Each structure stands twice: as C-alpha cells, then as structure tokens.
Amino acid sequence: MERIAVYGAGTIGSCQATLIIGNGLPCTVIGHSERGLERCRKSIEQNWDDLIAEGLATEGNKQAAMALVTITNDPAALQEHTFVFEAVAEGTEEKRAVYERPSSRTLRPTW
C-alpha cells in the first residue's frame, strides 16, 4: 500500500489529509508548531463534521478516518512514505527550506 504524507498543516494540508483519510488511506501530516498541529487536527475534524451535517458521512466514518491520520512536527516521519504532498506556506524561501532539510532529501521539487 502506498504511504501518503502531507507536508504542511495549514488549510490546504488539512483538506488534503481529509481527502486521503476519507478514502481509507493512512496519512501523516507534517507541521512546524504545536499550535499549528492542533489547528490542523481541529480543521480535519470540522471537515468531517461538515460532511456529516450534509448527510455525506456518519460519525462512524469520521472516527474511522481520524484513526488513520498522524499529525506531527517531526519531518523524519516522512521516511518510508512513497508520496508526499507539499502544502507549506506560499513563498520561495519557505518551500526551499522544506526541500533543504536533511530528512527531506528524497523529496523532488518541481521548480
């Protein structure tokens, strides 16, 4: 099975994680602050609450999906992942910093 990660715990990263776990795949989200990690978890939970409110998911779906997500600030957690979405803040320096980290050496930027 593919191992999927999202590097970035903001709005885009949390939505990508929601999509991945919603399809029954485990997902690791990498952030950079404890506050950001908590905000990411709350955002993913809110996405599920919105789906439930629209009749598109159940509480059971939410619980099963939330069990598939790992949210951490440790880039070393990317090891063994076969696919990584990059979703850090827009800006060349922020993005370059992700690719220059020793634990991210296997990531291939597209610029």
Side-chain angles (χ1 to χ4, degrees):
M1 175 185 287
E2 297 292 325
R3 299 211 40 208
I4 302 173
V6 177
Y7 203 123
T11 301
I12 293 171
S14 61
C15 288
Q16 287 175 325
T18 302
L19 179 64
I20 294 164
I21 64 176
N23 280 283
L25 299 169
C27 180
T28 301
V29 180
I30 308 296
H32 68 274
S33 72
E34 291 301 319
R35 194 169 102 190
L37 299 180
E38 182 58 30
R39 188 174 54 241
C40 179
R41 180 171 300 285
K42 286 181 180 180
S43 179
I44 294 169
E45 289 177 351
Q46 184 61 57
N47 291 341
W48 280 98
D49 291 342
D50 292 346
L51 290 167
I52 292 166
E54 293 295 324
L56 300 172
T58 66
E59 185 64 33
N61 296 139
K62 176 183 175 181
Q63 296 307 315
M66 292 304 294
L68 294 172
V69 70
T70 300
I71 303 173
T72 180
N73 60 8
D74 183 6
L78 293 174
Q79 293 180 5
E80 310 289 323
H81 283 76
T82 53
F83 189 83
V84 180
F85 285 101
E86 179 274 305
V88 297
E90 293 303 314
T92 304
E93 292 308 310
E94 292 85 359
K95 292 185 182 290
R96 212 173 282 283
V98 166
Y99 291 100
E100 290 175 351
R101 287 185 184 208
S103 59
S104 301
R105 297 285 181 195
T106 59
L107 300 179
R108 304 282 190 258
T110 58
W111 62 68

